[in-house]
Amino acid sequence: MYTKRLMSFFSISVLLIAILPAINLLNRSALDGEVALPSDPSQLWSIDSAEGLLALRLWHCCEISLREGDVVVGQNGFLFLGNDHDRVIDKITGRFQPTDREVENWAAMIGQLANTAEQRRAAFMFALAPNKHGVHSEHLPDGVEHADRTMTDRVLAALERESVPIADLRAGLKEATEVAAVYLKTDTHWTKGGAALGYLGAITALQQLGLDVRPLEFQVIPRRGPAGDLARMLKADGVLGAQHEVDQDVRFEQGSICAVAKPLSSPEMLRCDPSAATATASFQNRVMESSYAPDAPNAQRLLLICDSFCEAHRALYQASFAEVHLVHWKTLVEFDFGTQLERVSPDIVVFQLVERALLLPQFKM
């Protein structure tokens, strides 16, 4: 009996190994040039590749997602983050609504952050990076309707009652979609051009606070690139090729600049010399990245608290200010905010948060 089962397993395995390349090739040919032939022939034997091809076919033919909780298939080639991530679909449709007390308590905490910064002579501003779902709502799938008023409006109203300065980037980015997509079709995040518009919106809001700050002049150059994180969740990124996604490069004049990373638990700050060989650092959890640019148009010291949406425009901020101290909010919540302000001594604090994460950060004061 054992030998018979072993032989059956062996036969099925051999059959799968034999037919998997044929399945992959047939799937690729059926997609009419939507996918690239693999540079590595071993991919023809990949189960993940076969799953990605199946996901791609269902996405293109029937607007069906193999992982609905992670990825929602929209219209015109757009993918959106699914409800398993911060209940984003429930939030944009209005099905999820926090209590008034939850909203007021969170707004009061942000107000306390602003007050703490102002007590140390630093200007504070909250910047909202919009959900892709709202900016490109016309591409949402049938049956998913973006509500006219969501919890975001309630949170921003509560922040206004706490006298927290706000850069609400939603309207500006929505208006820009009349010219081009400002979020990547197959990614959660904004394009480089969309991120640059977010940077401009934040600088404009700082100017409206009466701060003497100037934005960089830049050019947005179209380019193509690989598929993004939403396609990766469907395992389809590897079969779409290196030129699938439409993105941009943002070009600007940049003087001497260097960056260095240090854990927040470290008592001292690290510096680097922009006139020497340029140092590099990574924006990641559990560290603060500090950059120095003596030729920047703005002499202020900026503390930039944000999330992965900073990746696309961090270079603009770093070239705009003499010092930029960049930290992920998930790192900062583990440490006392006032202590970190004393450590950095910023002139300006910008807290940029993606819309779906509203109410999630809980800072120690």
Side-chain angles (χ1 to χ4, degrees):
M1 178 68 74
Y2 175 77
T3 304
K4 200 176 271 190
R5 287 181 178 176
L6 185 61
M7 289 301 295
S8 297
F9 175 77
F10 179 76
S11 300
I12 292 171
S13 299
V14 169
L15 180 62
L16 285 174
I17 291 171
I19 68 173
L20 200 53
I23 293 173
N24 276 319
L25 285 172
L26 284 171
N27 272 329
R28 286 174 185 273
S29 63
L31 286 163
D32 297 327
E34 291 288 343
V35 301
L37 287 173
S39 56
D40 180 2
S42 67
Q43 288 297 306
L44 292 175
W45 280 267
S46 168
I47 294 176
D48 282 347
S49 180
E51 184 179 341
L53 286 162
L54 175 60
L56 190 59
R57 294 188 71 177
L58 290 173
W59 160 17
H60 281 211
C61 79
C62 314
E63 295 184 352
I64 292 174
S65 170
L66 282 182
R67 301 182 63 181
E68 190 75 23
D70 287 322
V71 181
V72 173
V73 175
Q75 303 176 53
N76 305 312
F78 274 78
L79 300 177
F80 295 91
L81 198 62
N83 212 36
D84 286 353
H85 298 267
D86 303 322
R87 295 188 64 180
V88 62
I89 300 297
D90 287 344
K91 288 176 179 177
I92 63 113
T93 58
R95 288 194 296 265
F96 174 80
Q97 289 289 351
T99 66
D100 289 342
R101 184 172 183 178
E102 289 172 327
V103 170
E104 297 298 334
N105 285 347
W106 194 80
M109 180 194 64
I110 302 301
Q112 195 173 352
L113 293 183
N115 290 335
T116 302
E118 290 165 4
Q119 288 168 7
R120 289 164 174 79
R121 298 183 179 180
F124 182 94
M125 188 184 68
F126 179 82
L128 181 74
N131 292 326
K132 177 181 177 179
H133 308 65
V135 174
H136 287 292
S137 57
E138 70 276 13
H139 301 299
L140 286 169
D142 293 336
V144 179
E145 296 290 335
H146 197 285
D148 293 333
R149 182 175 175 81
T150 66
M151 61 167 276
T152 301
D153 301 292
R154 294 172 58 205
V155 173
L156 294 186
L159 288 173
E160 288 180 352
R161 289 192 291 273
E162 293 288 338
S163 300
V164 175
I166 299 169
D168 183 356
L169 306 177
R170 292 178 297 176
L173 285 165
K174 181 72 173 178
E175 183 178 348
T177 61
E178 297 177 6
V179 178
V182 294
Y183 280 67
L184 296 160
K185 282 189 172 184
T186 60
D187 201 282
T188 318
H189 301 87
W190 42 24
T191 64
K192 291 283 183 21
L197 290 176
Y199 156 84
L200 280 180
I203 295 294
T204 299
L206 290 173
Q207 291 173 335
Q208 291 170 349
L209 292 178
L211 298 179
D212 183 17
V213 293
R214 291 186 292 126
L216 290 176
E217 294 184 1
F218 58 83
Q219 289 182 309
V220 177
I221 310 296
R223 71 169 176 85
R224 301 195 74 89
D229 57 5
L230 295 172
R232 188 160 56 250
M233 292 180 193
L234 293 176
K235 299 183 180 180
D237 59 313
V239 297
L240 283 170
Q243 304 296 315
H244 177 78
E245 185 65 83
V246 177
D247 198 354
Q248 303 101 15
D249 283 324
V250 177
R251 299 178 185 174
F252 53 90
E253 290 188 11
Q254 181 173 309
S256 299
I257 186 171
C258 66
V260 62
K262 187 72 173 178
L264 264 69
S265 56
S266 174
E268 77 276 3
M269 296 292 294
L270 284 182
R271 295 190 66 91
C272 57
D273 184 359
S275 64
T278 301
T280 58
S282 296
F283 172 48
Q284 56 185 321
N285 287 344
R286 307 198 66 78
V287 302
M288 177 180 287
E289 176 184 323
S290 299
S291 64
Y292 302 90
D295 302 325
N298 302 299
Q300 295 97 328
R301 186 179 295 118
L302 171 69
L303 173 59
L304 182 56
I305 307 163
C306 55
D307 47 36
S308 59
F309 272 67
C310 270
E311 289 284 2
H313 61 195
R314 59 192 286 190
L316 284 166
Y317 280 105
Q318 290 171 331
S320 296
F321 292 90
E323 289 187 26
V324 176
H325 302 282
L326 175 63
V327 62
H328 198 293
W329 66 261
K330 289 183 179 179
T331 298
L332 192 58
V333 295
E334 301 175 20
F335 298 88
D336 178 75
F337 180 69
T339 300
Q340 295 305 317
L341 280 181
E342 291 177 3
R343 183 174 186 250
V344 175
S345 298
D347 302 300
I348 302 169
V349 178
V350 173
F351 177 22
Q352 178 182 285
L353 186 67
V354 64
E355 184 179 355
R356 66 175 182 272
L358 285 172
L359 305 189
L360 295 183
Q362 297 293 327
F363 293 97
K364 294 179 182 178
M365 303 298 297

